[in-house]
């Protein structure tokens, strides 16, 4: 129960229609895409940086946890108020403050949707490269909190490559400004990228200065089908060595292809065991040239066939079937987003296949091959098979680390992976991270318990 | 004077030929390109991470300052042992540990020269984009310490965009590993980019995992001359909006052009008041197309003439004359590397011209226009005109901040700009940075006194 004095003082700063305390209202802020449920005791909707300061100071005074929240599309539980207290929803801070086309900079509040950023940039001939599949309904603040990526990261990088600076409020209610307004700047420590991907554990971002990128003139695509994952991975390596690479390079394994075939037998060639969907962008000339080069890079003895696609919708058609099909057959599937070096993809896939047999758990794997970022889907109901799923997951993570990979490419740690973080991060390195947490949030009120084991 | 017990214990870990204590030997490590002189009492040349650990633990025990040093090419005094103690020279850690072409990754020790990185990457069809003008004799460790950039940053970004992770030793002698081996990764806080640009004040980098980029197939160039800086800046903005931009976009102001004309009257058109040197890269097709597009972007009423250049050496010829000419006329010139938003370049130049008159100090300005990163050269002997130079510099920095710019784009703060850092970084933000310093180096032995006011 929240102290009555907290609510009373809160209402001096925030009007009642922007502070929910009714459990029914609060429940809508209890979950995210991790499917865990932790209801907050109060949901607050600030409109300004100063209101965020007031809320945090108040939480500090009453020693209440504050969990910042974008649009709750994360899959790692990062935005869940696990220890109760306050859900600080930034969703009403939706102003695009400025679009400065001359300098390729946009300033936005954290609640602006990724899609709204793109809409504001497009008339000026720009876009903002981070493109998580949730772009239509995830917010910039959430994109920053996880350093969100997506298919185009292979060419353009992830969120941390496209933010010049932020305004943020620390766990003691101090306003800090990080970074600068220009594309170069080396004054002081890089706090911008320290905050990006910190999952709301260090500070609440209340404004972001985004770096925009010119829209490509056009896009083209090609697909390639392989006899086996090893020859497919060989092609991925060759593609990534081309002097002009792809703007997206997505991979589907045999399990993914079988799943699509089960519903759409006509969509895919019967003999394919591994598929690449490749997008290129640039001028019409460049696209023609790049498609030719990448088709050449696709050639190896394991290639069944490769061809350019005229229609980009065709290119992505198979990929788009996957998520609904996966939900149909395994509504509570475990979706991981591990990363391995590109040339380790075949070893990873062989290992996943072995673990699938060992634990009698089907898996389906696809993802952003150019970055080695593979979505491993365990087709399991964790409510029934929790112990088996956990052991399998543990072995998958061990495999990934043994291949010099990382536990998460874009989803983050949140609560879902904190038990595993010590597989990847050494004790001494983790101690430094905890020390940094202490500097930003000495009372441990900001998203407490997240990220650390 | 160093305690005898320190030297004695040191020699248990480091052989005498890798530990200089003779003042004559130490003097070669007293200076950098800032032209200040601070002799260390001892220069140590570790060969391994473990040796760095031993040295730092020993310095901690004896409470001695340790200043890490690459090749001493910095201009901000970052590598000078201002408070005496130990110069920790990484210059003998020169191993290229691995070149992994399949994954586009190279692991190097910090003493490897930038040029040596390029040489090791080239046979595999790759390069490492950071290209400071010191590339031939500056080390990767130094490039990381300052997040070095150069002319190609306009397309490829600076050092912080091209490092996947590091091994480093903190001020308490703990070894930490940051980042990962893959191009995506969001596990824990981004300590990699926190260390990049931290000028040796947080930890000593002993190994770096570099992200490589495919070499462009070819390069082309063009030059454009303008009647006045405003029309030139207008062209810069137009060029930066092209969907395929330049790989370098360098600007020379009227003072720079006059200086070149004074020695090489035939090299430049007599009527030009501002010049752009533009490089493009890609396939031959792309280059032709991009040159056409950028020539169109150069058009405006202030354009005198613009033309493609067949020979890239011709393109850079004028630019290369500048530094030696500047050294001739003002050997102790003050060279700043401020940054303003691209569309503020004309206002900046007008302001610099005004300040030049006000303080009767000539200035010459040129630099990386696509990033708004202008090298402001005050043609002054600071030994004679120190007070006037200091006042002028102070006004220049105020002007830069008023234009939403930053005090340094690639040189860093070191000791040269620490008196000015509070113009740009707020007290609360600086307090967080100091807190982070405390976490990495609680005894303040790593490069003490640098960066902070």
């Amino acid at each position: 129960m929240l102290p009555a004095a907290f609510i009373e003082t809160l209402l001096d700063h925030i009007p009642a229609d922007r502070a929910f305390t009714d459990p029914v209202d609060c429940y809508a802020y209890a979950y995210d895409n991790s499917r865990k449920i932790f209801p907050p005791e109060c949901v607050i909707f600030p409109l300004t940086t100063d209101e965020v300061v007031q809320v945090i100071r108040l939480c500090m005074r009453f020693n209440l946890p504050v969990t910042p929240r974008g649009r709750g599309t994360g899959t790692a539980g990062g935005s869940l108020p696990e220890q109760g207290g306050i859900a600080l929803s930034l969703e009403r801070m939706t102003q695009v403050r400025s679009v400065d086309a001359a300098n390729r900079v946009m300033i936005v509040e954290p609640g602006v949707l990724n899609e709204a950023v793109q809409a504001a940039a497009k008339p000026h001939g720009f876009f903002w490269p981070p493109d998580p599949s949730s772009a239509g309904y995830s917010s910039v603040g959430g994109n920053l909190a996880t350093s969100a990526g997506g298919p185009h990261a292979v060419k353009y990088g992830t969120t941390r490559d496209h933010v010049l600076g932020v305004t943020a409020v620390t766990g003691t209610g101090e306003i800090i400004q990080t970074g600068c307004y220009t594309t170069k700047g080396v004054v002081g420590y890089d706090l911008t990228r320290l905050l990006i991907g910190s999952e709301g554990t260090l500070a609440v971002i209340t404004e972001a200065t985004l770096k925009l990128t010119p829209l490509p003139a056009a896009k083209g695509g090609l697909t390639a089908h392989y006899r086996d994952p090893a020859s497919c991975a060989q092609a991925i390596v060759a593609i990534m060595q081309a002097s002009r690479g792809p703007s997206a390079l997505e991979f589907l394994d045999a399990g993914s292809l079988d799943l699509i075939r089960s519903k759409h037998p006509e969509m895919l060639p019967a003999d394919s065991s591994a598929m690449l969907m490749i997008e290129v962008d640039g001028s019409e000339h460049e696209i023609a040239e790049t498609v030719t080069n990448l088709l050449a890079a696709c050639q190896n003895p394991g290639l069944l066939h490769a061809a350019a696609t005229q229609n980009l919708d065709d290119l992505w058609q198979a990929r788009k079937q996957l998520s609904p099909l996966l939900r149909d057959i395994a509504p509570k599937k475990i979706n991981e987003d591990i990363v391995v070096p590109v040339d380790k993809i075949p070893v990873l896939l062989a290992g996943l296949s072995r673990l699938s047999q060992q634990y009698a758990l089907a898996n389906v794997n696809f993802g952003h091959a150019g970055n080695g970022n593979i979505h491993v889907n365990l087709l399991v109901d964790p409510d029934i098979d929790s112990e088996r799923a956990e052991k399998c997951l543990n072995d998958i993570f061990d495999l990934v680390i043994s291949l010099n990979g990382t536990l998460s490419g874009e989803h983050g740690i949140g609560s879902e992976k904190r038990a595993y973080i010590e597989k990847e991060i050494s004790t001494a390195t983790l101690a430094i991270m905890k020390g940094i947490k202490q500097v930003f949030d000495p009372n441990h009120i900001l998203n407490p318990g997240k990220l650390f084991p």
Side-chain angles (χ1 to χ4, degrees), chain A:
Chain A
M1 272 289 289
L2 292 178
F6 170 81
I7 299 293
E8 205 172 290
T9 324
L10 177 68
L11 294 175
D12 290 345
H13 301 288
I14 305 281
D17 63 337
R18 293 198 277 111
F20 295 171
T21 49
D22 184 327
V24 175
D25 294 330
C26 288
Y27 193 79
Y29 293 83
Y31 46 84
D32 67 0
N33 198 16
S34 71
R35 298 191 204 84
K36 295 227 167 49
I37 310 269
F38 292 101
E41 293 158 279
C42 176
V43 187
I44 302 172
F45 302 88
L47 295 184
T48 65
T49 299
D50 283 338
E51 286 186 353
V52 172
V53 169
Q54 296 305 332
V55 170
I56 289 185
R57 284 198 188 146
L58 204 56
C59 290
M60 196 167 68
R61 207 173 108 196
F62 287 88
N63 197 30
L64 289 170
V66 196
T67 302
R69 182 183 175 95
R71 293 295 288 259
T73 60
T75 66
S79 66
L80 298 189
E82 206 179 28
Q83 302 182 10
I86 312 305
L88 189 67
S89 174
L90 285 312
E91 73 190 293
R92 299 194 194 176
M93 292 183 70
T94 56
Q95 277 192 51
V96 174
R97 292 271 178 81
S98 60
V99 184
D100 177 354
N103 296 304
R104 306 163 57 156
V105 173
M106 186 187 292
I107 298 181
V108 297
E109 292 184 340
V112 176
L113 296 188
N114 179 302
E115 198 175 63
V117 170
Q118 313 303 348
K122 198 174 177 180
H124 302 276
F126 294 107
F127 74 116
W128 188 56
D131 60 339
S133 58
S134 59
Y137 34 92
S138 66
S139 66
V140 169
N143 293 172
L144 266 69
T146 54
S147 194
H152 294 94
V154 68
K155 174 168 181 174
Y156 294 100
T158 64
T159 299
R160 70 163 68 101
D161 301 306
H162 301 283
V163 181
L164 297 175
V166 304
T167 299
V169 181
T170 68
T172 58
E174 294 286 336
I175 300 171
I176 60 172
Q177 277 96 18
T178 77
C180 50
Y181 193 81
T182 54
T183 48
K184 274 170 107 174
V186 289
V187 174
Y189 300 146
D190 186 347
L191 301 184
T192 307
R193 286 161 193 86
L194 185 62
L195 293 184
I196 294 174
S198 67
E199 306 188 42
T201 62
L202 296 180
V204 179
I205 294 170
T206 59
E207 186 178 286
T209 304
L210 309 180
K211 186 174 90 171
L212 302 177
T213 299
L215 279 163
K219 291 184 179 189
L222 55 151
T223 57
H225 292 276
Y226 291 87
R227 204 182 303 281
D228 54 74
S231 52
C232 184
Q234 193 185 327
I236 295 169
V237 170
I239 289 165
M240 293 304 291
Q241 282 187 292
S243 74
R244 248 182 84 76
S247 53
L249 175 53
E250 297 290 297
F251 160 81
L252 276 71
D253 80 343
S256 309
L257 299 175
D258 282 342
L259 189 63
I260 297 169
R261 282 189 197 102
S262 70
K263 197 87 175 219
H264 306 281
E266 77 303 334
M267 197 179 275
L268 296 165
D271 52 356
S272 175
S273 283
M275 178 184 181
L276 294 179
M277 295 182 302
I278 308 167
E279 191 189 275
V280 300
D281 65 16
S283 71
E284 296 293 350
H285 253 311
E286 283 165 20
I287 287 172
E289 201 172 71
T290 311
V291 165
T292 306
N293 292 343
L294 296 190
L295 275 175
C298 285
Q299 305 299 318
N300 69 45
L303 177 70
L304 297 168
H305 38 89
T309 316
Q310 297 309 315
N311 188 330
L312 270 185
D313 292 341
D314 288 355
L315 179 73
W316 294 108
Q317 197 187 10
R319 177 72 171 81
K320 280 191 179 149
Q321 305 304 320
L322 258 180
S323 285
L325 285 169
L326 279 167
R327 263 197 299 273
D328 284 355
I329 62 165
K332 295 182 179 176
K333 71 181 169 74
I334 296 176
N335 172 12
E336 291 305 333
D337 74 317
I338 52 87
V339 190
V340 295
V342 162
D343 70 342
K344 296 294 188 298
I345 293 174
V347 189
L348 173 76
L349 294 174
L352 290 172
S353 168
R354 198 183 60 240
L355 292 171
S356 169
Q357 283 173 11
Q358 184 182 331
Y359 290 102
L361 284 177
N363 62 45
V364 164
N365 312 294
F366 57 91
H368 316 307
N371 298 109
N373 187 193
I374 305 294
H375 291 281
V376 176
N377 292 271
L378 298 182
L379 305 184
V380 63
D381 184 339
D383 299 343
I384 299 167
D385 290 315
S386 81
E387 202 185 325
R388 199 150 48 104
E390 206 172 291
K391 278 185 180 166
C392 181
L393 211 51
N394 190 67
D395 286 2
I396 290 174
F397 289 149
D398 283 340
L399 172 64
V400 166
I401 296 298
S402 77
L403 297 174
N404 216 359
T406 179
L407 301 182
S408 180
E410 47 189 25
H411 294 172
I413 297 298
S415 55
E416 291 293 297
K417 287 189 185 171
R418 69 188 157 201
Y420 305 102
I421 195 171
E422 285 168 297
K423 288 184 189 289
E424 181 166 341
I425 312 271
S426 74
T427 308
T429 313
L430 215 46
I432 290 285
M433 291 183 185
K434 286 179 180 171
I436 290 172
K437 164 77 177 169
Q438 183 75 21
V439 169
F440 279 87
D441 179 29
N443 308 302
H444 291 256
I445 59 170
L446 281 181
N447 211 358
K450 298 295 171 59
L451 203 142
F452 293 107

